Amino acid sequence: MSQVTDCARALGEAIVASDEYKNMQITEKAAMTDPAVAEAMGRYLELKEALNDVMRQEEPDPELIARYGSEMDEVQRAMNAMPAIDAMTASRQKFSELMNSVNQILEFIVTGEVAQGGGCSGNCASCGGCH
């Protein structure tokens, strides 16, 4: 292997060994084995499938769409209030921050440019305007 792929492999191993990754794995497993979470996720997926079925109809029923959407929102709110989901979401956010940091460092090393916040690529040619 080349030095680049060796370093990429080492970086991947370091990411997997990070506290952020390990914590994310632990909280995801805890959430997925929580009976209340499993029940809520099952209900959410049922509603999503029902909504998709309605949307595939030639003339979708707007009232049914609204009902399924409202029920999905209720289930989502209930899931977000569950401690296991809250912990999982927080750990995923921390892992995402780690990955964003790694990507910004790589981008800086490769391009010499610091990535701008808010999804800005630093290339104004494709920009809709600064915030």
Side-chain angles (χ1 to χ4, degrees):
M1 276 197 259
S2 74
Q3 181 183 5
V4 173
T5 55
D6 288 343
C7 288
R9 180 177 298 284
L11 176 58
E13 290 170 358
I15 290 169
V16 169
S18 72
D19 289 339
E20 292 86 351
Y21 181 82
K22 289 177 184 176
N23 190 42
M24 182 180 69
Q25 293 296 303
I26 290 167
T27 59
E28 285 179 350
K29 184 176 181 181
M32 295 306 135
T33 58
D34 182 316
V37 171
E39 182 180 332
M41 286 186 148
R43 179 66 182 141
Y44 185 86
L45 292 174
E46 287 173 7
L47 290 166
K48 184 177 177 181
E49 183 60 32
L51 179 60
N52 286 338
D53 288 345
V54 170
M55 296 297 288
R56 283 190 286 265
Q57 295 174 359
E58 192 170 312
E59 292 185 32
D61 181 348
E63 289 180 20
L64 209 47
I65 292 170
R67 189 181 103 212
Y68 286 141
S70 177
E71 287 182 45
M72 288 172 68
D73 288 344
E74 286 178 34
V75 173
Q76 185 67 53
R77 276 192 295 279
M79 284 194 305
N80 289 341
M82 295 176 179
I85 294 290
D86 188 46
M88 181 181 71
T89 301
S91 68
R92 284 179 173 177
Q93 178 62 35
K94 291 213 180 284
F95 180 72
S96 180
E97 290 168 6
L98 171 67
M99 294 304 297
N100 287 337
S101 178
V102 167
N103 287 329
Q104 287 176 352
I105 292 167
L106 291 172
E107 184 174 345
F108 175 73
I109 297 299
V110 172
T111 67
E113 296 179 11
V114 176
Q116 303 296 314
C120 179
S121 69
N123 179 358
C124 294
S126 64
C127 185
C130 291
H131 305 290

